[in-house]
Amino acid sequence: MENKLKAALFDLDGVVFDTEPQYTVFWGSQCRLYHPEHPGLEHEIKGSTLTQIYDRWFSGPLASEQAAITRRLDEFEAQMQFEYIAGFETLIADLHAHGVKTAVVTSSNQPKMASVYRAQPAFKSLFDAILTSEDFEYSKPHPDCYLKAAARFGAAPEECIVFEDSFNGLKSGRAAGMKVVGLATTNSREAIAPLSDIQLSDYVGIDYQQLLELL
């Protein structure tokens, strides 16, 4: 039986939106403030959830600073630019034209998504489902989020393709038993190659037929 692509599941930052450079600026400022002994920490924490970042780097004596950091992050996200990765909107239209369901599967929370909706009012219309951190029991790299998204569409893992940029996200897609497209927006093609089936810089020239051949 011919494999069918039923669902395309997209992470958000660095996959739908070219936001990773902005987050590097924000976390660079916080890491220099609280962890001057660890230069470059903002690059190490890419792809981690806020809870994971706090648990690893802002617990113990720094736990009392979490509320202030969260407040700064909320203010930062409210002013962020949410520009689509090149070719993304064209790819989404092509997927929908071929009957493929689309979902955002992100570790972002609802307050962050409110900022997205303000900046891009048409965003919701591009997807059949939007799943956020509130929908998941376990964070990436656990496969929970992608398995829940597939179940939302009644799709088997082998009928889904995951689009990710971070190591945790790529591992999550792999653990879910899905084909994984790696976006080299946060890490290099060489770095993400072992965790993805193909690697892209953006979506220009990528269409439904090419993705179908991955399955």
Side-chain angles (χ1 to χ4, degrees), residues 86-108:
F88 175 76
E89 292 168 285
T90 300
L91 174 60
I92 283 286
D94 190 41
L95 290 171
H96 284 161
H98 286 89
V100 179
K101 296 293 187 181
T102 60
V104 166
V105 183
T106 178
S107 300
S108 298

Side-chain angles (χ1 to χ4, degrees), residues 8 22 29 34-35 39-40 63-64 89 96 105-106 116-117 125 139 143 146 148 151 164-165 195 200:
Q22 296 174 77
S29 69
Y34 295 107
H35 285 290
S64 60
E89 292 168 285
H96 284 161
V105 183
T106 178
V116 171
Y117 303 148
S125 68
S139 299
Y146 283 114
K148 277 189 169 68
E164 274 283 1
D165 63 317
L195 296 170
L200 307 176

Side-chain angles (χ1 to χ4, degrees), residues 178-189:
M178 301 174 183
K179 293 295 184 180
V180 179
V181 175
L183 273 294
T185 52
T186 302
N187 302 289
S188 69
R189 283 174 176 258

Side-chain angles (χ1 to χ4, degrees), residues 5 7 23 27 36 52 58 63 68 73 92 115 139 161 181 188 191 205 208:
L5 174 55
Y23 277 114
W27 283 110
Q52 289 168 337
F58 297 90
L73 179 59
I92 283 286
S115 297
S139 299
I161 293 181
V181 175
S188 69
Y208 164 80

